[in-house]
Amino acid sequence: MSTNMPVIASTEERRTRPRTRPSILPYIALWVVLIGAGIAGAIWYTDHVKQQLSADLSAQTARQIEAVQADYTKQLQEMRASYESEMAELESKVQSLNELLTFNKDNASDKTDSSNKLYTQISELKQQLDQLKKNLDVLK
């Protein structure tokens, strides 16, 4: 029986000895650290993407504004050149009509119909010239 005794004692020792379970606290701490790191990484990444998108949008907007400004400047210069050429043409017509009128007035004092027609034409040309000048001032 002596051989059985130590076996029984060891079984009894096992039963009476408190079992030590591994602590769950390190696992919980590890999960909290992992979750926190994941959240921090997600926040950092979204901020990085926001900054990148903001920079890209700013650059794209600047390029579009420059293109629109260049187009507007080009159109304005073309319109200004067109108006200036039209005004120069009208000025030369007015000048030639003034000379013709002066010549007719000096040569034919009894022909007032021709004189009246020329004055009417000059008046109309001056009105057109004034209108073109107003349009050019609006463009400036």
Side-chain angles (χ1 to χ4, degrees):
M1 283 224 191
S2 64
T3 60
N4 286 343
M5 273 299 190
V7 174
I8 295 173
S10 66
T11 307
E12 286 179 14
E13 283 179 10
R14 283 187 207 156
R15 288 185 191 165
T16 58
R17 195 173 9 154
R19 289 187 171 181
T20 56
R21 290 186 179 175
S23 178
I24 198 163
L25 188 61
Y27 294 114
I28 292 175
L30 178 65
W31 276 105
V32 167
V33 167
L34 287 175
I35 291 171
I39 291 172
I43 290 172
W44 173 83
Y45 181 72
T46 54
D47 285 343
H48 176 71
V49 169
K50 282 180 188 178
Q51 290 174 355
Q52 207 170 22
L53 284 175
S54 177
D56 290 345
L57 285 175
S58 295
Q60 183 181 7
T61 303
R63 285 191 306 269
Q64 288 176 348
I65 288 173
E66 287 175 9
V68 168
Q69 284 178 337
D71 186 45
Y72 176 75
T73 303
K74 179 183 172 189
Q75 287 179 357
L76 189 60
Q77 288 173 348
E78 289 173 357
M79 291 177 81
R80 184 175 290 155
S82 172
Y83 277 124
E84 286 175 357
S85 67
E86 286 179 20
M87 284 195 327
E89 184 181 323
L90 282 175
E91 292 253 359
S92 68
K93 285 182 182 180
V94 167
Q95 185 64 29
S96 65
L97 284 176
N98 272 336
E99 291 172 2
L100 183 60
L101 180 61
T102 304
F103 179 73
N104 279 341
K105 192 186 243 185
D106 290 344
N107 289 336
S109 60
D110 59 344
K111 296 182 181 178
T112 57
D113 283 343
S114 297
S115 174
N116 287 339
K117 287 180 184 177
L118 288 174
Y119 276 121
T120 305
Q121 288 177 350
I122 288 173
S123 172
E124 289 174 0
L125 285 174
K126 284 186 179 181
Q127 287 176 355
Q128 288 178 354
L129 182 62
D130 289 339
Q131 183 64 31
L132 283 172
K133 284 182 181 179
K134 287 179 185 176
N135 289 342
L136 183 61
D137 288 340
V138 168
L139 286 176
K140 287 181 183 179

